[in-house]
Amino acid sequence: MTVKNVEIVTESGMEIFIPLNKLKKSPNNARKTPHSEASIEAYAASIAAKGILQNLVVEPELEAEGAATGFYFVTIGEGRRLAQLLRVKRKEIKKTEPIRCVIDTANDAFEISLDENVTRENMHPADQFEAFKKLAEERGFGAEEIAARFGVTPHVVRQRLRLGAVSPKLMQVYRDGDLALDQLMAFAITEDYARQEAAYERLSYNRDASTIRRLLTETHVAATDRRAIFVGAEAYTEVGGTILRDLFTEDRGGYFEDVALLDLLVMAKLGREATAVQEVEGWKWTQVHLDYPHSHGLRRTYPQPVDLSAEDQTALDAAQAEFNGLTEQYESAEELPDDVDARFGELEAEIERLEEKCQAYAPADVARCGAFVILNHDGTVRIERGFMRAEDEKPEPETQDLGGEGEGGDAVFDGETGSNGEAEGDGLGAEDEDGDDHKPLSDILIRDLTAHRTLGLRLALSEQPEVAIVAVTHAFAAQIFYRGADAHVLDIRPVSTMLASHADGIEDTKAGRAWADHHARWAAQMPRDVTGLWSFVVELDHDSRMALFAHCVALTANAVRLPSERRPRAVATANRLAEAVSLDMAAHWAPTVQAYLGRVTKTHILAAVHEAVSVEVADRMADMKKQDMAEAAEQLLVGTGWLPVLMRTSRAAQESAEHPQADAVTETNPDAYSVAAE
């Protein structure tokens, strides 16, 4: 017969040490929701560093007959018991580790368990933040050591330390309940008390955390800025630059604080790029600019088509053939294998490299022209080549054509040029009645004669639409591709609005690059001398001539809406033009965070998701922070073709097709035309 060796404890209030393996969870514990793993980790870290600071309260386990079993139920301190069991599992202590406990058989176990969890008040977060800061400053504890002693991550400790560094004035406002925690977190982006308090004073009714962050970082440069991307955080910090980090939101690399230093590094790096371009390519000059200098006023030359070497042509044909073969082979595949996808990239790069060799600048142009080295909006280098300064232009003799133009645009003269530039001989320069030979025509007579000739030109041109198209195309091309040449006869001025001055980064978009390539292809075909332009336009086939005409006309399109301008009729015409060309902006533009979603209110973001996806999805996003909402919306809108109202094109049928009688409006009501044309 075996006799159980049990310990019988009956005196309430006694403090004893009980082996850990003799402690059990009490069935009378009021806390039914289990302790979280994080809280148990925190208890374990605290006990390992400081021991159990508060006794466990237990009651003896009794058998049905009332005899003690030798085990004890933990009425208060279950979290500490679980923490010690975790330490046993980690082999930090033995399972028989003595635990200081207080016996309580006088009170109801369930009631005191409930009392323990209800009748207490948590420390105010502000006190916690400042206490962590005190540990760091007075005890010299680092974030990792504090984290180990309190069972939290070092990142959490850094967050609390940063919050503890908020201005005491603002911390008191937080204690008083006039600042929310997310607002305090926003102020903690900087440790500068003066800046924090200045930003607080500037707040109006809008105290949103994002507004506070914007106020505190408005003089800094985000790491996503093109300048920061171009220089890089490592190069910036190596020379003493500091980066402000937000520990409470995804700051995408933080904020570069020393803007002057960053700009200096940008210009220095661009300068090195410019030097390399000049040395390698041989340009007469290079200029560095942060943005493209749209007002440079220089004439531009373009590369001309050249034949590839036999070796390069063979390589290009082989790369193109392989690319076409892979395209055909994987045309129906939903997803490309990684090696095939990589090969496509290699072939595209090789084809692009070889095709670039198909055009080259004339050596004479390289010797007298220059290039702009610019910082692109995506943080890459952009090089614009072939610009000619006025002093490098070749002087051209100026002649005045009074005899008209011969076939091909060559000037035809009936005699030699006189002192005023007029042609002499055979008529206009003949002897007058007074026998005054070589007397030039008077200015008044020249004006008279050329006015009559202009009228004759107008009458003749009005009867020959095809020639009119040639003349208009010539006039546009002469002014667009030969700046300052003054070789056109029609008083038509192609005015082109610089869209880059209205939309940052527009030149770097897919549509912007497509337009630039389109323009460069035409420029490369232009005769080197403007005097050959008329022949060039005449000799184009009809489709090519109309394509050049359309390109020149398109350059003058301006549907930009400015706050200072009210052009309702122009806006209406722009809409009709968009319908006429079946414009689908979804092919050129997408609602990204940078392009749209990050620049509108949350209401606009939700409206877009509501319209393009569903009401349910929009409703689920309603409580998100704006930045998170914008990023989520960008992903949701991919492939939907959604566009803001301003960018949509009506799909209605052409009005003339629905109402053929509209063609007769100008006959019955001439004023209707003048109104529509305004």
Side-chain angles (χ1 to χ4, degrees):
M1 179 177 177
T2 302
V3 179
K4 291 190 294 183
N5 187 17
V6 297
E7 180 180 0
I8 301 175
V9 179
T10 57
E11 186 176 350
S12 184
M14 180 180 294
E15 180 180 304
I16 62 172
F17 284 88
I18 302 173
L20 176 62
N21 61 352
K22 294 294 183 180
L23 297 176
K24 294 182 176 181
K25 179 179 180 179
S26 172
N28 294 317
N29 194 313
R31 184 192 290 271
K32 301 304 179 185
T33 303
H35 289 77
S36 67
E37 291 184 7
S39 67
I40 295 172
E41 286 278 1
Y43 276 132
S46 176
I47 292 171
K50 300 172 281 291
I52 297 180
L53 303 178
Q54 185 178 359
N55 296 336
L56 279 66
V57 177
V58 300
E59 62 173 344
E61 180 187 44
L62 304 177
E63 294 179 342
E65 297 80 9
T69 65
F71 290 88
Y72 295 83
F73 290 125
V74 178
T75 307
I76 296 175
E78 175 63 11
R80 280 158 276 167
R81 185 184 76 88
L82 294 174
Q84 289 293 67
L85 290 175
L86 177 62
R87 297 184 67 211
V88 170
K89 185 177 180 180
R90 292 175 174 172
K91 301 187 182 304
E92 295 178 10
I93 59 174
K94 296 180 180 180
K95 64 180 180 179
T96 56
E97 175 79 9
I99 308 298
R100 188 170 62 237
C101 303
V102 173
I103 305 295
D104 190 329
T105 56
N107 295 302
D108 178 78
F110 177 78
E111 183 177 349
I112 62 174
S113 173
L114 177 64
D115 200 334
E116 167 74 7
N117 289 283
V118 173
T119 56
R120 66 177 182 180
E121 184 175 358
N122 289 329
M123 175 185 287
H124 192 283
D127 297 332
Q128 181 185 137
F129 305 149
E130 292 179 344
F132 269 71
K133 183 171 179 284
K134 184 175 182 179
L135 283 177
E137 292 179 348
E138 296 185 4
R139 307 285 179 85
F141 291 164
E144 286 72 15
E145 185 172 357
I146 295 175
R149 297 175 71 87
F150 286 89
V152 293
T153 65
H155 181 68
V156 169
V157 174
R158 293 188 187 96
Q159 287 181 323
R160 293 174 182 175
L161 292 175
R162 180 66 67 83
L163 286 167
V166 170
S167 157
K169 175 182 176 180
L170 298 184
M171 190 66 78
Q172 188 58 49
V173 175
Y174 171 57
R175 280 192 171 94
D176 295 340
D178 292 329
L179 276 180
L181 181 57
D182 66 327
Q183 294 170 318
L184 192 73
M185 290 176 175
F187 280 111
I189 194 172
T190 176
E191 298 182 31
D192 188 329
Y193 289 177
R195 286 179 55 203
Q196 292 172 356
E197 293 172 8
Y200 177 73
E201 295 298 329
R202 290 174 60 189
L203 288 176
S204 57
Y205 66 92
N206 183 8
R207 294 190 171 191
D208 184 79
S210 61
T211 300
I212 297 171
R213 287 189 178 89
R214 178 177 55 78
L215 290 175
L216 288 169
T217 59
E218 61 186 358
T219 59
H220 301 336
V221 173
T224 53
D225 184 274
R226 56 180 175 151
R227 292 170 290 174
I229 294 172
F230 180 57
V231 171
E234 184 176 351
Y236 168 76
T237 54
E238 278 181 358
V239 293
T242 55
I243 299 177
L244 191 66
R245 299 304 305 264
D246 189 342
L247 300 180
F248 303 96
T249 64
E250 175 52 58
D251 63 6
R252 296 170 181 79
Y255 302 87
F256 288 48
E257 292 190 279
D258 195 334
V259 180
L261 174 61
L262 178 61
D263 286 342
L264 186 65
L265 294 174
V266 168
M267 298 308 290
K269 188 172 181 180
L270 283 176
R272 292 192 294 272
E273 295 281 353
T275 300
V277 168
Q278 189 170 7
E279 290 177 351
V280 172
E281 300 182 18
W283 297 102
K284 182 176 182 180
W285 54 266
T286 54
Q287 283 186 10
V288 169
H289 292 273
L290 194 61
D291 298 298
Y292 183 81
H294 290 286
S295 60
H296 54 72
L298 305 181
R299 184 168 74 83
R300 186 172 193 178
T301 61
Y302 287 87
Q304 302 296 311
V306 296
D307 293 331
L308 288 176
S309 66
E311 181 182 356
D312 284 340
Q313 187 63 56
T314 301
L316 177 59
D317 293 341
Q320 191 66 63
E322 184 180 353
F323 184 89
N324 293 339
L326 287 175
T327 301
E328 184 177 350
Q329 181 180 352
Y330 292 94
E331 185 176 6
S332 59
E334 293 185 1
E335 189 173 349
L336 294 175
D338 290 342
D339 59 332
V340 175
D341 189 38
R343 184 55 182 161
F344 265 117
E346 293 171 358
L347 289 171
E348 287 173 350
E350 178 69 1
I351 291 170
E352 182 178 356
R353 181 186 70 83
L354 292 170
E355 286 182 341
E356 286 179 353
K357 291 186 174 183
C358 293
Q359 291 189 330
Y361 288 91
D365 286 340
V366 174
R368 61 178 179 158
C369 293
F372 294 120
V373 179
I374 307 147
L375 182 60
N376 245 343
H377 289 82
D378 61 357
T380 58
V381 175
R382 169 183 168 192
I383 302 172
E384 296 290 341
R385 302 170 172 88
F387 293 93
M388 189 179 299
R389 292 169 172 164
E391 59 267 26
D392 295 322
E393 294 273 7
K394 289 182 179 178
E396 298 179 2
E398 295 185 2
T399 60
Q400 187 168 358
D401 175 16
L402 293 181
E405 290 186 346
E407 186 177 355
D410 295 325
V412 176
F413 300 100
D414 294 325
E416 296 181 356
T417 302
S419 59
N420 68 343
E422 302 303 324
E424 296 181 346
D426 289 349
L428 291 180
E431 294 184 11
D432 58 20
E433 295 178 354
D434 297 330
D436 186 4
D437 296 341
H438 309 298
K439 181 178 180 181
L441 301 181
S442 68
D443 290 341
I444 294 177
L445 180 55
I446 290 174
R447 287 168 54 193
D448 185 288
L449 295 176
T450 53
H452 283 279
R453 186 167 185 265
T454 299
L455 180 57
L457 275 175
R458 289 180 179 179
L459 283 170
L461 195 59
S462 69
E463 296 170 354
Q464 301 182 58
E466 286 297 321
V467 179
I469 289 294
V470 171
V472 173
T473 305
H474 174 272
F476 279 168
Q479 296 172 83
I480 290 171
F481 296 102
Y482 301 88
R483 183 170 301 172
D486 197 20
H488 57 286
V489 69
L490 303 186
D491 274 340
I492 299 176
R493 307 293 182 191
V495 178
S496 180
T497 297
M498 291 296 180
L499 298 180
S501 63
H502 298 296
D504 287 341
I506 192 171
E507 295 161 315
D508 300 330
T509 63
K510 180 180 178 181
R513 290 191 293 269
W515 173 262
D517 292 343
H518 196 209
H519 187 79
R521 282 195 295 272
W522 274 117
Q525 299 177 55
M526 293 292 122
R528 297 189 64 79
D529 195 318
V530 71
T531 58
L533 179 61
W534 182 274
S535 296
F536 172 77
V537 176
V538 169
E539 292 168 4
L540 289 172
D541 61 73
H542 180 269
D543 290 344
S544 298
R545 185 184 304 123
M546 295 307 294
L548 175 57
F549 173 72
H551 177 77
C552 294
V553 169
L555 190 65
T556 71
N558 179 16
V560 177
R561 293 169 64 173
L562 302 176
S564 58
E565 295 180 353
R566 290 189 58 82
R567 303 191 303 157
R569 294 184 180 90
V571 170
T573 303
N575 293 337
R576 296 300 299 272
L577 177 59
E579 293 173 12
V581 298
S582 301
L583 177 64
D584 180 12
M585 281 303 301
H588 309 298
W589 184 92
T592 62
V593 173
Q594 181 178 4
Y596 180 78
L597 298 167
R599 302 164 64 183
V600 297
T601 63
K602 292 172 66 174
T603 302
H604 284 90
I605 299 174
L606 293 174
V609 175
H610 178 181
E611 183 179 7
V613 186
S614 71
V615 179
E616 293 75 15
V617 173
D619 289 343
R620 288 199 297 269
M621 298 172 60
D623 294 330
M624 297 176 68
K625 292 182 178 180
K626 181 181 173 181
Q627 184 64 34
D628 296 336
M629 181 186 291
E631 292 174 356
E634 178 179 326
Q635 299 302 315
L636 290 168
L637 295 176
V638 170
T640 64
W642 182 88
L643 295 168
V645 174
L646 275 174
M647 303 185 80
R648 299 178 187 178
T649 301
S650 171
R651 300 302 178 193
Q654 294 294 327
E655 184 176 335
S656 59
E658 296 179 353
H659 307 289
Q661 69 274 19
D663 295 337
V665 168
T666 55
E667 298 178 12
T668 58
N669 182 11
D671 291 338
Y673 180 82
S674 62
V675 170
E678 287 184 60

